[in-house]
Amino acid sequence: MTARFSNWAGKYFGFGQDTPQDAVVVTQPTRVDAVAGLAFDLVTTWDLGLYANYSFLEDRESRALRDASFDREGRVNGDYAGARIEIVHDTRDNTFSTRTGGRDVLWFDGWAVQAGRNDLRVRAGMSTQHFLLLWPPDWVLALRAEGGAALGERAYLTQFSLGGGNALRGYLSNRFRGDAYALGGAELRFPIGSFISGAAFGDAGTVWGGDNGPVA
């Protein structure tokens, strides 16, 4: 079980990949996220996860968010509730400082309640990570790729977004948003000193705007 509360201000640039950088809405959210579930060992390197998801969002700039997207984001504020299934194949040598192996995830989720309404949205996606030990013990090449797509009624929290430290580094969080996305990256990890290491990386990604067609 996990739970998280946040009221940090953020930035919103609009819907799609071609959004201008200077047209920014500063968000003022109060957000709660909670996840409860079970994970099962299937066979040696395969796991199955079943989870229930709940979120609550109250953003004082919700009207500005909808105006900036021309209502393409759907409703913003209210309760969100759904369920998620994950199938995981994990062959990493360890989870803290991985040098070899990989982790592949196939996932599906469905949201029956979005922004306080009984609106159905179904999403599916996959991710893969692989680690290659180039020069023992600590020169490692990490490769990853992921993507996802959604169908059904749109709502703000169930849209995909790119940007930030975990998805398309070099761009602000929430920079690009859409109904589907693809992302890939490579990272070279190397030692600098006894307790210091460095990384050189490159990321690339795109989002699509659903019924507006590809926007990149």
Side-chain angles (χ1 to χ4, degrees):
M1 298 180 64
T2 63
R4 182 180 66 178
F5 169 83
S6 174
N7 62 356
W8 289 1
K11 292 185 176 180
Y12 176 77
F13 298 87
F15 183 85
Q17 179 98 7
D18 58 350
T19 51
Q21 187 165 335
D22 55 352
V24 176
V25 175
V26 177
T27 64
Q28 299 292 330
T30 297
R31 179 172 175 176
V32 177
D33 297 288
V35 178
L38 297 170
F40 304 91
D41 290 331
L42 298 179
V43 291
T44 307
T45 58
W46 291 86
D47 298 320
L48 172 67
L50 305 174
Y51 305 96
N53 298 326
Y54 170 79
S55 295
F56 170 79
L57 176 64
E58 184 70 31
D59 198 309
R60 286 176 285 173
E61 298 299 326
S62 61
R63 184 66 261 175
L65 296 178
R66 297 186 66 175
D67 289 345
S69 71
F70 302 100
D71 270 338
R72 289 181 294 175
E73 292 280 8
R75 291 174 59 84
V76 178
N77 290 342
D79 297 297
Y80 293 73
R84 180 180 176 100
I85 299 173
E86 290 185 355
I87 302 171
V88 180
H89 180 224
D90 195 340
T91 60
R92 293 174 296 175
D93 59 334
N94 67 82
T95 60
F96 178 71
S97 181
T98 307
R99 291 176 173 82
T100 61
R103 186 174 189 266
D104 306 306
V105 181
L106 178 66
W107 62 266
F108 307 88
D109 67 20
W111 296 85
V113 178
Q114 298 187 100
R117 288 188 176 182
N118 295 326
D119 288 337
L120 179 63
R121 189 161 176 82
V122 178
R123 308 188 306 174
M126 65 170 296
S127 65
T128 182
Q129 294 177 293
H130 289 277
F131 300 87
L132 304 174
L133 184 59
L134 299 181
W135 188 6
D138 294 321
W139 286 75
V140 177
L141 179 64
L143 304 172
R144 67 166 179 160
E146 61 181 86
L151 295 173
E153 294 293 331
R154 289 173 177 162
Y156 184 77
L157 282 190
T158 56
Q159 293 290 86
F160 296 110
S161 68
L162 293 181
N166 294 319
L168 205 59
R169 290 168 289 184
Y171 290 92
L172 293 174
S173 296
N174 214 32
R175 179 63 183 87
F176 305 109
R177 294 173 57 85
D179 296 319
Y181 82 103
L183 174 68
E187 181 176 285
L188 177 63
R189 303 172 181 175
F190 51 89
I192 296 177
S194 299
F195 301 101
I196 302 174
S197 60
F201 64 85
D203 291 338
T206 188
V207 298
W208 288 267
D211 55 13
N212 299 293
V215 292

